[in-house]
């Protein structure tokens, strides 16, 4: 396996537990106690995934996440947080985290989320490249190579998860997709969170591609099933 994971966690017992369990699973692990050292180590190495505590000293987890995303939009980042409110979790996901897990956690669940995040990342790496191809519906266009999204002539700024969700919807236009299908294909087959996260992210994408609510609707709700992307008739 030999995949590399960077842990940024200031609680030594938790960091050591993660190190032991992940190394037992075959991963190469490096751990740092604060955000500044974590950022320096991140830039020095090549990583397959980052486990990041939100409350680390020196440079907060969210600040470190923002810097990681400026450098790499695709590396999986899982947040470790003692904050259990939906607002805190949504903030982390909005900043580009792929997933979060609340302390205290069950190690088997964390390992499952790591596997899921790495599997999704590997799927992206092996997927056919579409560097010169635009996906589109109506006046919405998306370029996978440059990660550019346009609605008419206006640029749309999406987080990595929102972008992946929109890509999947565009690739399956006019196909009704259940929440479970979207979770499996966008979040990963091993994702163990609530399916309500799909509804939250659909709302985010809708608001961003049509913030004024004046444009033709593209993402439609199919009551009791899920969602479909198609041009309104």
């Amino acid at each position: 396996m030999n995949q590399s994971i960077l842990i940024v966690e200031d609680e030594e017992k938790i960091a050591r537990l993660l190190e032991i369990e992940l190394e037992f699973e075959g991963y190469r692990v490096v751990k740092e106690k604060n955000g500044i050292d974590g950022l320096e180590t991140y830039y020095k190495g090549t990583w397959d995934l980052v486990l990041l505590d939100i409350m680390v000293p020196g440079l907060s987890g969210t600040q470190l996440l923002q810097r990681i995303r400026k450098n790499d939009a695709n590396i999986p980042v899982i947040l470790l947080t003692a904050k259990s409110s939906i607002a805190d979790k949504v903030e982390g996901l909005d900043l580009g985290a792929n997933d979060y897990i609340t302390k205290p956690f069950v190690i088997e669940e964390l390992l499952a989320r790591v596997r899921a995040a790495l599997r999704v990342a590997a799927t992206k790496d092996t997927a056919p490249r579409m560097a010169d191809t635009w996906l589109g519906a109506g006046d919405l266009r998306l370029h996978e190579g440059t990660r550019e999204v346009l609605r008419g002539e206006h640029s749309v700024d999406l987080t990595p998860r929102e972008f992946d969700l929109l890509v999947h919807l565009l690739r399956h236009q006019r196909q009704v997709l259940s929440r479970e299908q979207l979770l499996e294909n966008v979040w990963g087959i091993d994702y163990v969170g609530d399916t309500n996260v799909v509804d939250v992210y659909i709302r985010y994408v809708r608001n961003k591609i049509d913030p004024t609510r004046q444009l033709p609707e593209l993402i439609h709700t199919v009551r009791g099933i899920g969602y479909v992307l198609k041009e309104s008739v």
Side-chain angles (χ1 to χ4, degrees), residues 1-203:
M1 184 176 292
N2 296 323
Q3 290 169 301
S4 299
I5 296 178
L6 173 61
I7 299 171
V8 185
E9 167 62 70
D10 64 323
E11 295 185 52
E12 181 56 34
K13 288 184 178 179
I14 294 178
R16 181 57 179 154
L17 171 64
L18 292 171
E19 182 181 36
I20 292 171
E21 294 289 345
L22 289 166
E23 287 183 343
F24 182 79
E25 293 293 316
Y27 301 105
R28 184 178 74 86
V29 177
V30 175
K31 51 187 174 67
E32 295 292 354
K33 295 180 179 179
N34 63 72
I36 294 174
D37 290 341
L39 183 62
E40 183 178 353
T41 300
Y42 165 77
Y43 281 129
K44 287 180 178 178
T46 300
W47 308 100
D48 295 290
L49 182 140
V50 178
L51 281 172
L52 177 58
D53 181 20
I54 289 181
M55 302 296 288
V56 289
L59 190 69
S60 74
T62 52
Q63 290 173 319
L64 178 52
L65 172 60
Q66 288 174 301
R67 285 162 172 76
I68 289 173
R69 279 292 168 248
K70 286 180 180 179
N71 181 70
D72 188 337
N74 297 313
I75 182 173
V77 178
I78 298 177
L79 296 180
L80 305 174
T81 175
K83 298 180 177 181
S84 59
S85 76
I86 294 298
D88 289 321
K89 294 172 182 176
V90 169
E91 179 187 13
L93 294 170
D94 277 348
L95 289 173
N98 298 80
D99 200 356
Y100 63 84
I101 189 163
T102 304
K103 299 176 184 179
F105 52 81
V106 177
I107 191 64
E108 287 79 8
E109 178 184 356
L110 184 140
L111 293 173
R113 292 183 183 233
V114 166
R115 290 193 297 269
L118 289 170
R119 184 177 292 110
V120 171
T123 300
K124 292 178 185 176
D125 289 341
T126 57
R129 299 298 179 185
M130 302 180 68
D132 299 315
T133 302
W134 288 84
L135 298 175
D139 61 350
L140 176 68
R141 293 183 294 152
L142 177 150
H143 195 290
E144 291 188 79
T146 63
R147 302 184 73 84
E148 185 177 7
V149 181
L150 297 173
R151 186 76 193 265
E153 299 301 319
H154 299 284
S155 179
V156 180
D157 183 23
L158 299 180
T159 66
R161 181 73 77 195
E162 292 164 355
F163 183 87
D164 292 343
L165 176 58
L166 185 56
V167 166
H168 193 72
L169 290 167
L170 284 167
R171 285 178 177 170
H172 298 83
Q173 289 184 52
R174 307 192 68 80
Q175 178 181 340
V176 177
L177 301 170
S178 68
R179 292 170 178 81
E180 290 76 15
Q181 287 175 309
L182 290 169
L183 278 177
E184 179 176 336
N185 288 284
V186 179
W187 277 260
I189 195 170
D190 288 332
Y191 181 81
V192 291
D194 198 308
T195 58
N196 287 342
V197 71
V198 174
D199 303 320
V200 172
Y201 271 81
I202 288 288
R203 185 171 72 251

